[in-house]
Amino acid sequence: MGMKLIIYTFLLICISALCHSQQPGFRKLYSGESTGAAFVDILWDGQKLITTGQFLTDTASNNAANGLLYMEFDTNGNTLFTDIYFHPNDAIGPRIGNSIYQSSSGLVYSMNQMVYDTSTNLLAIYKNSERIRVVVTPVNARQSYLLNCIESGKDLLFSGGIQNYQYKTEGMLIKSDSMGNEIWRRYYGSPELQCGLGEPFLLDENTILLPGYKHYWPSSGPIINKWTKTWIMAVDSLGDKKWEWESPKNIEAGVVTRLQRLPNGHWLYVTAEFIPMPGQIDYWGSHPKIVCRDSNFNLLWERYLPAIPTTACYMVDLQATADGNFLIVGFLNDSDWWGSQVIYKFTPSGDSIWMYRDYCELGCYHFLGGVTELPSGSVVAAGYSENLDEAKTYGLIIKLDKNGCIDTLCGSMVSTFETALVGKIKVYPNPTSNIINITNPIGESIEIFDIQGKKVKDVIINKSQQAIDIQELPKGVYVLKMHEKTLHVTYKIIKQ
């Protein structure tokens, strides 16, 4: 995510403007005392807000300085539960575009990427404020992006893309059971193009609609030789292609989020128009817009969103609201040195209802990656704010009332939330053959589970430097857990 962080110990704090109960809006930042945090998506599960993203510390073993950050909040932005997960030898790096999804059974799925070992994806599964499984999905490619998830009967469909060793990308669709066990996998696209998929849409029991994009970026030559297209493909229940449709060149940059189907059968989505910019030969920009097409994808209308076309104007999430309208969130880079985040609400005919824009001053960037609606009609969006001068990144949650208003009259900035000093925890050596050391453990005990979830060891914490003898355990992978109040910290350890 382009984070430039000075990493020391971790104290997760929330900086917020405190407002009285009649003012429903807020803007809260979450970060480490010296480290950073970032959110990539948010959902409302009927009782609480759930977000996921990235946590950074310098005390994790090997390359695992980046961890998965999963948090639950009440509607005032107060933290109810925090889970931090580190892989033993790899960093976890969710990015804007990754999503979080809740199934009808109550399971919550967090899609993530492995940063250093770029040939894998990581899927974390939660239920009742507890992480119940982590699934690593290997992909034979240079990079892989596991972005979206929907239910398909009792199973799941995951979409995203891969980048091969020639730096070309294909769309990827994976079908798995509810616990992330893969059933089949398909790749789509052309080897000379850059292709990717947004969120699948179940058209009927044997038709999966896959919105996506096709980009042609030649390695040399004038900018006029480059082009972008929206790409819509239909596949059957086994992933075999049935038909596909493409937009004309350069009028659309594709669908990276989802299609919304209107009651009359028309399709609504957000994209951007490719615009060559004055100046250097490879300098280009994009102008975000809403597009409506009929059931055969013939253009009915399009509406440009209020933005100055630059090299980084992207809309990331599109959600329907209970009153029949729609929400969009994204970010607009106003120049090469700063950018702002936006939330739009508009009607099914594309007419603007309201717009909220959070401007960033020189030397910072704001990004929003997800939006959800509360039963009251209030809107909550999540993302992150990157301060280049501080070399620090903050997780960000913004709540607006149903009219798109946020209180701006509160002047005091007060710390309202903090967790244990997770950044001081150190688990080493990992892998190990006999002794595992824990510096600054939290809670009253340390539990160790095998890969099937059976507890194999329970140690009472009685010192700040705890040594655990695991010599009697068979070789394999184990999970070490520590708990303190609403904070859960988990490390995966390897017994050699």
Side-chain angles (χ1 to χ4, degrees):
M1 297 178 182
M3 302 179 184
K4 301 176 182 178
L5 303 172
I6 302 173
I7 306 176
Y8 299 106
T9 60
F10 173 68
L11 170 64
L12 196 62
I13 59 174
C14 165
I15 304 170
S16 64
L18 297 180
C19 306
H20 61 74
S21 60
Q22 298 304 311
Q23 299 165 333
F26 61 73
R27 182 184 187 276
K28 295 189 176 184
L29 296 175
Y30 301 78
S31 182
E33 184 178 28
S34 299
T35 61
F39 302 137
V40 298
D41 198 6
I42 194 165
L43 62 82
W44 169 253
D45 73 349
Q47 295 181 322
K48 57 188 177 297
L49 293 162
I50 303 175
T51 187
T52 187
Q54 188 179 56
F55 164 75
L56 298 98
T57 177
D58 63 348
T59 61
S61 59
N62 300 321
N63 293 323
N66 296 15
L68 169 64
L69 176 62
Y70 172 96
M71 298 182 74
E72 297 176 354
F73 303 90
D74 64 19
T75 56
N76 293 315
N78 300 310
T79 304
L80 303 174
F81 173 77
T82 302
D83 180 63
I84 302 170
Y85 169 78
F86 297 101
H87 192 272
N89 55 10
D90 202 355
I92 301 170
R95 63 173 192 168
I96 294 293
N98 288 98
S99 62
I100 186 169
Y101 177 79
Q102 184 179 38
S103 69
S104 57
S105 64
L107 294 176
V108 177
Y109 300 88
S110 174
M111 280 66 74
N112 309 278
Q113 293 172 256
M114 308 297 273
V115 175
Y116 295 105
D117 184 2
T118 54
S119 62
T120 59
N121 295 303
L122 185 140
L123 173 67
I125 306 175
Y126 290 83
K127 186 173 184 179
N128 298 327
S129 301
E130 188 73 30
R131 175 165 30 85
I132 62 173
R133 193 174 188 206
V134 173
V135 182
V136 175
T137 305
V139 180
N140 183 23
R142 190 179 191 92
Q143 292 191 45
S144 182
Y145 310 100
L146 195 65
L147 300 178
N148 300 284
C149 173
I150 65 167
E151 284 183 276
S152 177
K154 296 181 179 180
D155 299 320
L156 301 169
L157 291 171
F158 295 97
S159 63
I162 63 167
Q163 183 184 82
N164 61 30
Y165 292 97
Q166 288 73 46
Y167 294 94
K168 301 299 182 181
T169 60
E170 296 179 280
M172 177 177 66
L173 184 67
I174 297 174
K175 187 172 186 177
S176 78
D177 64 18
S178 62
M179 296 307 295
N181 299 304
E182 187 173 322
I183 299 172
W184 53 253
R185 183 188 308 189
R186 300 286 186 272
Y187 299 115
Y188 309 98
S190 304
E192 73 278 8
L193 304 177
Q194 292 186 2
C195 305
L197 298 176
E199 184 179 274
F201 186 98
L202 295 179
L203 197 60
D204 56 50
E205 62 182 12
N206 195 40
T207 307
I208 306 165
L209 217 56
L210 300 175
Y213 60 86
K214 285 187 176 182
H215 295 172
Y216 179 64
W217 300 131
S219 58
S220 61
I223 195 171
I224 195 67
N225 291 340
K226 299 183 177 183
W227 51 261
T228 66
K229 291 182 177 181
T230 291
W231 174 38
I232 309 289
M233 180 172 55
V235 301
D236 63 20
S237 58
L238 297 177
D240 296 323
K241 185 169 68 175
K242 300 176 72 172
W243 55 262
E244 61 183 329
W245 171 89
E246 298 176 11
S247 71
K249 295 179 180 179
N250 290 349
I251 68 168
E252 297 180 12
V255 183
V256 296
T257 54
R258 59 179 55 85
L259 295 171
Q260 292 284 0
R261 197 176 194 187
L262 301 178
N264 57 10
H266 296 164
W267 297 104
L268 200 67
Y269 56 89
V270 182
T271 184
E273 186 167 325
F274 176 90
I275 299 175
M277 305 289 283
Q280 299 179 4
I281 192 171
D282 287 327
Y283 195 58
W284 57 276
S286 58
H287 197 167
K289 61 184 180 181
I290 310 164
V291 175
C292 184
R293 294 183 178 273
D294 66 17
S295 59
N296 295 315
F297 293 98
N298 299 304
L299 180 64
L300 297 176
W301 54 261
E302 59 184 11
R303 305 279 190 274
Y304 289 97
L305 297 173
I308 300 173
T310 69
T311 54
C313 289
Y314 298 114
M315 299 301 107
V316 184
D317 198 9
L318 171 65
Q319 296 281 357
T321 59
D323 59 5
N325 295 302
F326 295 91
L327 295 167
I328 301 173
V329 296
F331 53 91
L332 308 174
N333 275 15
D334 302 296
S335 78
D336 291 336
W337 295 102
W338 68 87
S340 57
Q341 56 209 359
V342 289
I343 307 173
Y344 299 101
K345 186 173 183 178
F346 64 96
T347 68
S349 58
D351 298 322
S352 177
I353 299 175
W354 52 257
M355 179 184 76
Y356 169 85
R357 185 167 183 177
D358 190 18
Y359 286 90
C360 179
E361 299 191 7
L362 184 65
C364 59
Y365 292 101
H366 292 332
F367 302 87
L368 288 179
V371 65
T372 190
E373 185 186 34
L374 302 180
S376 63
S378 294
V379 173
V380 183
Y384 65 95
S385 178
E386 185 175 1
N387 189 308
L388 304 183
D389 294 330
E390 295 181 2
K392 187 169 181 179
T393 301
Y394 299 87
L396 171 67
I397 293 182
I398 295 176
K399 180 183 176 183
L400 308 175
D401 68 15
K402 61 183 179 182
N403 298 312
C405 297
I406 187 171
D407 176 65
T408 58
L409 301 177
C410 304
S412 59
M413 300 292 286
V414 181
S415 174
T416 61
F417 167 74
E418 66 181 36
T419 68
L421 296 175
V422 178
K424 288 187 175 180
I425 301 171
K426 191 171 184 179
V427 178
Y428 65 96
N430 190 11
T432 184
S433 57
N434 46 30
I435 300 296
I436 191 82
N437 297 298
I438 298 95
T439 302
N440 296 315
I442 64 170
E444 297 180 352
S445 66
I446 298 171
E447 300 172 306
I448 298 179
F449 299 82
D450 63 19
I451 202 65
Q452 283 76 39
K454 179 183 177 181
K455 185 187 293 188
V456 295
K457 205 169 188 67
D458 194 348
V459 178
I460 301 299
I461 296 175
N462 53 32
K463 59 182 73 174
S464 61
Q465 181 71 35
Q466 192 84 34
I468 302 177
D469 188 349
I470 60 171
Q471 190 171 1
E472 79 280 7
L473 297 180
K475 294 180 180 180
V477 178
Y478 295 88
V479 177
L480 182 151
K481 293 185 178 182
M482 291 176 279
H483 308 268
E484 183 170 272
K485 298 179 181 178
T486 62
L487 176 65
H488 295 196
V489 181
T490 308
Y491 289 85
K492 184 176 286 186
I493 57 176
I494 299 174
K495 165 68 186 304
Q496 292 181 329

